[in-house]
Amino acid sequence: MRCRICGQPAVINMRHHKLSLCAEHYIPWFIKQTERTIHKYRMFTPEERILVAVSGGKDSLALWDVLLKLGYHADGLYIDLGIDGGFGYSSRSKEKVLAFHHSHPEANLHIVDIPGIYAESVPEVARRKHHMRRPCAICGVIKRHEMNRVALSEGYDVLATGHNLDDEAATLFGNVLHWHVGYLQRQGPILPADGEGLARKVKPFARLYERETAAYALLTGIDYIYEECPFAKGATSITHKETLTEMEHKSPGTKLQFYVNFLRAKEEGLLCNAEAQRVELHPCERCGQPTTAARLCRFCRLWE
Ligand code: Q46
Ligand code: ZN
Ligand code: ZN
């Protein structure tokens, strides 16, 4: 396996692109692909301020790294969920984020300490709400609320997350299996700032495979947390990922085609009826963030 550009031994073979590259040529290729996605979906401009949600994992740190290399004004946001899992998941992932920030002092890092602000960690809230075994639904509500809160209060134009193609294809697969039309409507590499109180959300890695982001992190020496959140185990999204990976193995490019063709079909009006049925949002009585609920948003109801 040789690099298509220089003929040196390749470090990665991307069967779906029929492309093998050496480390020296892979890194600029990866950065260019990210930049193309940013332009293609008009995610943000060089003048805009970007808040990158970083978890300490490979994808989000790689994203922050690439955006800084491309010269964007990108700051980080780490949300400390207070998850231990027997190995100090939150504290160890925070260390990785702090170390990355230390070597990129040109950027700012915001840290939100959930137990410190709200007097309960995510697993504690989940326990009180009887979601002890799988706190992910509650965790998702809290993360989305806090990301949006910081993005708006600190004046960022856009919120970026490190979701890769494997994440997006697995979510799409789940949404299609259950025909969650409302979720399908909102799924994509960019979610516009839907009126008052919601930041624009973008996923610049949405067209890059997980093994491609992992290769980038490895080859550029980004120190990230290898362990997943202890609650990620057994999630249906992982089963969907495995199914799709098996299909990808037999037919390279399956995930990319599945996702990209969905986006195209949507652009051509696949879900235009769903658009008409979209529900009205209004500000939550307590925090002011948009909600479909009568009085309080899902986040504020957690503390009722
Ligand atoms: S952090 Fe939170 Fe994830 Fe852990 S509790 Fe679930 S949602 S798995 S990405
Ligand atoms: Zn090369
Ligand atoms: Zn609220």
Side-chain angles (χ1 to χ4, degrees):
M1 211 174 61
R2 299 263 160 195
C3 172
R4 186 200 279 178
I5 298 172
C6 67
Q8 292 296 309
V11 290
I12 188 163
N13 176 24
M14 295 170 282
R15 285 168 67 201
H16 48 280
H17 293 311
K18 296 195 176 62
L19 178 65
S20 306
L21 292 171
C22 70
E24 194 195 320
H25 289 115
Y26 178 68
I27 293 168
W29 177 87
F30 182 89
I31 295 173
K32 189 87 203 144
Q33 291 297 313
T34 311
E35 195 178 25
R36 281 173 66 177
T37 304
I38 293 167
H39 291 165
K40 184 175 172 59
Y41 298 101
R42 297 191 185 153
M43 292 184 167
F44 40 76
T45 63
E47 292 74 38
E48 288 185 300
R49 294 180 68 225
I50 306 153
L51 185 63
V52 187
V54 282
S55 66
K58 62 182 185 324
D59 300 295
S60 54
L61 288 180
L63 177 60
W64 197 6
D65 187 76
V66 170
L67 295 183
L68 291 174
K69 279 191 181 130
L70 286 169
Y72 286 109
H73 183 141
D75 290 340
L77 166 65
Y78 176 77
I79 302 176
D80 188 336
L81 305 165
I83 294 174
D84 182 70
F87 61 97
Y89 170 71
S90 285
S91 50
R92 284 188 47 205
S93 52
K94 186 164 140 193
E95 275 168 27
K96 302 291 182 189
V97 172
L98 289 172
F100 181 91
H101 180 234
H102 189 73
S103 52
H104 297 79
E106 72 274 26
N108 291 318
L109 171 64
H110 304 270
I111 294 185
V112 170
D113 174 10
I114 297 295
I117 303 176
Y118 301 102
E120 273 177 317
S121 67
V122 165
E124 282 166 348
V125 181
R127 205 168 302 140
R128 179 165 54 76
K129 289 284 177 184
H130 311 292
H131 284 269
M132 199 168 153
R133 284 189 49 227
R134 189 152 294 291
C136 294
I138 282 175
C139 183
V141 169
I142 293 176
K143 284 196 288 194
R144 278 194 296 278
H145 185 276
E146 292 300 281
M147 288 191 280
N148 200 49
R149 179 177 68 76
V150 176
L152 293 175
S153 70
E154 301 291 328
Y156 288 93
D157 298 291
V158 55
L159 190 63
T161 56
H163 292 97
N164 57 45
L165 176 62
D166 292 56
D167 299 323
E168 287 294 278
T171 305
L172 176 59
F173 193 56
N175 286 340
V176 168
L177 277 181
H178 300 105
W179 290 113
H180 283 314
V181 176
Y183 291 158
L184 286 168
Q185 176 57 42
R186 291 167 59 80
Q187 197 187 346
I190 172 159
L191 192 59
D194 220 0
E196 286 289 293
L198 269 186
R200 185 189 332 148
K201 286 190 191 131
V202 297
K203 301 166 186 168
F205 285 167
R207 294 172 68 121
L208 287 159
Y209 281 77
E210 183 166 359
R211 64 187 279 269
E212 294 164 1
T213 62
Y216 178 84
L218 231 77
L219 294 169
T220 52
I222 294 173
D223 183 19
Y224 61 88
I225 181 156
Y226 292 96
E227 289 90 351
E228 286 217 62
C229 168
F231 297 111
K233 277 193 206 87
T236 47
S237 61
I238 294 188
T239 321
H240 294 158
K241 272 189 184 176
E242 286 167 0
T243 307
L244 287 167
T245 298
E246 208 172 295
M247 290 163 76
E248 176 81 28
H249 191 71
K250 288 182 187 141
S251 175
T254 298
K255 290 178 196 175
L256 190 59
Q257 290 305 317
F258 180 48
Y259 186 60
V260 167
N261 290 344
F262 159 70
L263 295 178
R264 195 169 302 141
K266 202 159 78 157
E267 236 168 60
E268 289 168 0
L270 171 72
L271 296 165
C272 54
N273 282 340
E275 180 75 27
Q277 291 165 11
R278 275 174 66 174
V279 278
E280 282 294 306
L281 295 173
H282 50 263
C284 163
E285 282 181 12
R286 187 176 294 166
C287 72
Q289 287 199 20
T291 177
T292 54
R295 286 182 48 237
L296 298 181
C297 72
R298 282 182 73 192
F299 177 84
C300 289
R301 273 183 281 144
L302 287 177
W303 318 98
E304 279 276 271

